[in-house]
Amino acid sequence: MQEHFHFTTDQAKIQKQYAAIFFFVSAQLSQIQFYLQRRNRHLVKQEDAVIIAIHLLGKLLGFSSERAWHRFVTGNLFTDEHFLERSRYNRRCRALRFAIKWIRHELAKRGQHHAYAVVDSMPLELCHAARMYRVKRFQGIADIGLCASKKQWYYGFKLHLQVTDQGLPMGYVVTEASCHDRTAAETVMTQIPHP
């Protein structure tokens, strides 16, 4: 799929998407620059905003392979200019992971780059089923609920999570195990609304 995309892409459209994301990242990065605290920032060949924008564009386009994405970038976005080699690019992305997560969350809050979001729940078991009627931890907070997919009862909590079509978690609610999914889903969807 990614190799097919590499040869059929519209280069002007990709450049326009990159420019829009770069503009957004540059504006957001100034707010968290203090928290990055990286050494030798003045010696880098590519500024942080470029690396973050390239990384975000790859995630939005659905690339899962780092090698395929780097090949795509050097072939379509930075054809004339010198871009970082793949290992250095990956190290910079790891060094900037705090900023990337924060900016992805800010971008997702705008809702313009995500087609839809999915809400699902999963059990958070606190003990084995044999001990669930005599456990004393979290009494009054946790309770007994049914996990429908496993067809078994458990003691604990239930995590309700909203995830975009790009795989980015947008909101969550932790409830007691007996809480119905529909009730918690309405609460999760009001945090950051998506279709």
Side-chain angles (χ1 to χ4, degrees):
M1 169 90 180
Q2 292 165 353
E3 292 299 324
H4 178 70
F5 185 69
H6 180 73
F7 294 112
T8 59
T9 185
D10 181 8
Q11 198 168 8
K13 184 179 176 185
I14 297 295
Q15 292 279 359
K16 186 185 279 188
Q17 285 179 320
Y18 167 72
I21 292 173
F22 177 77
F23 179 74
F24 180 80
V25 168
S26 299
Q28 296 295 322
L29 198 58
S30 62
Q31 298 177 16
I32 59 169
Q33 199 70 265
F34 174 75
Y35 299 104
L36 296 180
Q37 296 180 1
R38 294 176 51 239
R39 295 177 290 137
N40 301 329
R41 194 178 301 159
H42 63 285
L43 298 176
V44 297
K45 293 181 181 177
Q46 293 283 346
E47 58 183 278
D48 292 343
V50 172
I51 300 298
I52 295 171
I54 290 292
H55 182 79
L56 292 177
L57 181 61
K59 295 302 179 192
L60 290 174
L61 292 177
F63 278 83
S64 57
S65 168
E66 293 175 347
R67 177 178 289 154
W69 174 238
H70 187 269
R71 192 179 313 125
F72 179 83
V73 168
T74 54
N76 289 291
L77 289 173
F78 291 89
T79 53
D80 299 335
E81 303 174 40
H82 181 67
F83 190 66
L84 298 176
E85 58 191 33
R86 186 168 53 90
S87 61
R88 186 173 297 271
Y89 165 73
N90 292 335
R91 281 197 304 270
R92 289 281 303 278
C93 286
R94 283 192 292 276
L96 292 167
R97 67 181 170 265
F98 165 74
I100 289 172
K101 286 180 184 177
W102 192 82
I103 291 174
R104 276 188 80 183
H105 191 265
E106 291 297 312
L107 188 64
K109 280 202 295 193
R110 306 293 192 270
Q112 58 196 7
H113 295 286
H114 302 287
Y116 58 89
V118 177
V119 178
D120 200 3
S121 64
M122 63 177 284
L124 301 174
E125 295 182 50
L126 296 178
C127 67
H128 290 286
R131 295 181 49 223
M132 70 180 169
Y133 291 105
R134 57 192 164 131
V135 69
K136 300 211 185 318
R137 302 241 171 166
F138 297 104
Q139 275 188 338
I141 303 171
D143 64 359
I144 298 173
L146 175 68
C147 178
S149 61
K150 295 180 182 177
K151 295 185 174 120
Q152 66 183 20
W153 294 89
Y154 71 97
Y155 176 81
F157 301 104
K158 192 184 281 188
L159 171 67
H160 307 269
L161 188 66
Q162 180 184 21
V163 181
T164 66
D165 59 331
Q166 302 293 329
L168 181 64
M170 293 303 302
Y172 70 94
V173 172
V174 178
T175 62
E176 64 277 0
S178 62
C179 180
H180 195 276
D181 289 352
R182 185 174 31 123
T183 309
E186 292 171 358
T187 308
V188 173
M189 291 189 311
T190 56
Q191 291 177 353
I192 301 174
H194 271 83

